[in-house]
Amino acid sequence: MTTIKDVAKKAGVSVATVSRFLNDSGYVSAEAAKAVTAAVEELKYELNPVARSLNTKKSNLIGLILPDITNPFFPELARAVEDVALTYGYTVVLCNSDENPEKEKNYIETLKKKYIAGFIVTSNQLDAPHYANANVPIVALDRTINEKIPTVSSNNKEGAIMGTNALLERGCRNILFLRGPEELNPANDRYEGFMEAIQSSNLQYQVVTCPFHFADSQEIVARVLKEDPTIDGIFASSDVSAAGALKAASLVGKRVPEELQIVGFDGVAMGEMLSPGLTTVAQDVYKMGAIAARVLIKQIENKKIDQRFYEVPVKLIIRGTTRSVEE
């Protein structure tokens, strides 16, 4: 295996000169640079990335911290981050935090020791000190951490207004809203949007806090539907919760969309696979991940970023869990 000493000997320069050239860490004359380049090509020398990170205190690694990789929304985000990162020569390290701040902190401290270039984080830890004091570039994805850290998110409030109106326009008169966890900014924004739309309608509604998990959503919705059989519309704060609601409707004998209409929020591929297909407020998940990756890489490479907050528009996708608009 060719070593840096072999390259130095072939080029007729010192090992230190080869190291400075390969790591771009100091002055190297044009003549020496030309000789080292020729030696590297002739000997087919490949720089060890671990050794390089030890020398430069830098790497081409990006840490992606996600709260729950079993939720299909987050793997779709990860795909976009990875695609963009690879085009710029970066490798993504995926970390699943399970919404646990101690796991997040451990990931950050461990990866910093590997000279991580930066982090993209989806966290519910608002203004967490382990992010504020990380001393590496960070981008918040989907959920704001603090105003100093750039954030990429969807227009959640407007999307919730859109989803609520979709049910109202289709004749729903008693709507159940499955709001997400109160500690999550996107869930709170969607709740605000729902309340703004429903209160202007003067129709009956219920709000139930529901985690973004299929089984929990199914259990909660089944109970509420049994308690109030007059519910004819459900707006869920996530597609996973909407899928749980669809299963619950089947268990209690409610026909969808004839007796009960359901709208989700996310727009993940899973919604199209359900039967009937899920009507949803679709986020541009891929675009969110791609923007986050580009913003982080700009910071890593000391380039100016245009803004601190990036809001991606949403759109309503009509499928089989809702009826046609009433004339």
Side-chain angles (χ1 to χ4, degrees):
M1 182 177 178
T2 303
T3 68
I4 193 171
K5 290 182 179 179
D6 297 326
V7 174
K9 183 177 180 181
K10 184 71 177 178
V13 298
S14 68
V15 170
T17 297
V18 176
S19 178
R20 286 198 304 273
F21 175 75
L22 295 176
N23 293 309
D24 193 22
S25 59
Y27 172 77
V28 176
S29 69
E31 184 179 352
K34 185 177 180 180
V36 172
T37 299
V40 166
E41 291 177 354
E42 184 176 338
L43 298 174
K44 294 181 171 57
Y45 174 71
E46 294 184 6
L47 181 62
N48 186 319
V50 175
R52 179 171 187 170
S53 66
L54 290 172
N55 288 332
T56 64
K57 303 297 187 286
K58 296 178 183 178
S59 76
N60 68 337
L61 300 178
I62 290 174
L64 175 60
I65 301 179
L66 299 177
D68 180 11
I69 57 172
T70 65
N71 183 327
F73 175 76
F74 296 111
E76 291 189 22
L77 274 181
R79 173 64 184 271
V81 170
E82 184 180 46
D83 284 352
V84 172
L86 283 172
T87 64
Y88 287 89
Y90 291 86
T91 299
V92 175
V93 179
L94 178 62
C95 309
N96 180 52
S97 72
D98 292 318
E99 304 278 15
N100 185 330
E102 287 304 312
K103 286 188 73 173
E104 290 182 17
K105 185 177 180 180
N106 180 63
Y107 281 134
I108 288 172
E109 294 305 316
T110 300
L111 291 175
K112 280 175 64 180
K113 292 175 184 177
K114 306 294 184 184
Y115 304 114
I116 199 83
F119 290 97
I120 296 174
V121 180
T122 298
S123 171
N124 64 353
Q125 310 304 314
L126 299 181
D127 208 18
H130 49 271
Y131 291 123
N133 303 325
N135 294 320
V136 294
I138 295 176
V139 171
L141 181 53
D142 186 50
R143 307 171 185 178
T144 302
I145 297 175
N146 63 45
E147 61 183 16
K148 295 180 182 178
I149 294 175
T151 301
V152 181
S153 182
S154 289
N155 191 333
N156 290 291
K157 182 177 179 180
E158 184 62 33
I161 293 173
M162 194 183 298
T164 307
N165 286 336
L167 291 172
L168 295 175
E169 291 165 0
R170 286 160 176 78
C172 292
R173 294 293 177 264
N174 185 0
I175 297 176
L176 171 64
F177 178 61
L178 303 178
R179 71 154 295 158
E182 295 181 9
E183 65 270 16
L184 301 183
N185 281 336
N188 293 332
D189 290 342
R190 293 168 198 176
Y191 170 72
E192 288 180 12
F194 171 79
M195 293 303 295
E196 182 175 315
I198 198 70
Q199 287 180 340
S200 64
S201 72
N202 295 318
L203 294 177
Q204 193 174 350
Y205 68 91
Q206 295 184 49
V207 177
V208 177
T209 299
C210 185
F212 293 154
H213 295 289
F214 177 86
D216 294 326
S217 302
Q218 176 187 319
E219 182 181 344
I220 289 168
V221 173
R223 186 190 74 241
V224 176
L225 289 177
K226 289 175 182 177
E227 292 171 354
D228 185 358
T230 67
I231 291 172
D232 58 0
I234 296 177
F235 181 31
S237 285
S238 76
D239 283 352
V240 170
S241 293
L246 184 60
K247 181 67 179 293
S250 175
L251 292 176
V252 302
K254 284 272 191 181
R255 292 178 298 140
V256 177
E258 293 84 359
E259 298 174 301
L260 177 67
Q261 300 185 72
I262 300 174
V263 174
F265 199 120
D266 277 338
V268 298
M270 173 199 70
E272 200 170 1
M273 302 173 193
L274 298 174
S275 181
L278 180 65
T279 292
T280 185
V281 178
Q283 304 184 75
D284 194 334
V285 183
Y286 195 92
K287 186 174 183 179
M288 290 170 64
I291 290 173
R294 291 189 183 101
V295 171
L296 180 68
I297 291 167
K298 278 188 175 182
Q299 291 185 93
I300 292 170
E301 298 179 354
N302 297 313
K303 296 176 182 177
K304 184 180 178 180
I305 59 175
D306 302 325
Q307 58 204 76
R308 290 278 163 182
F309 185 73
Y310 299 80
E311 190 171 68
V312 180
V314 296
K315 64 179 180 179
L316 182 68
I317 297 178
I318 302 295
R319 297 196 184 105
T321 56
T322 52
R323 301 193 298 264
S324 300
V325 177
E326 291 188 351
E327 297 297 334

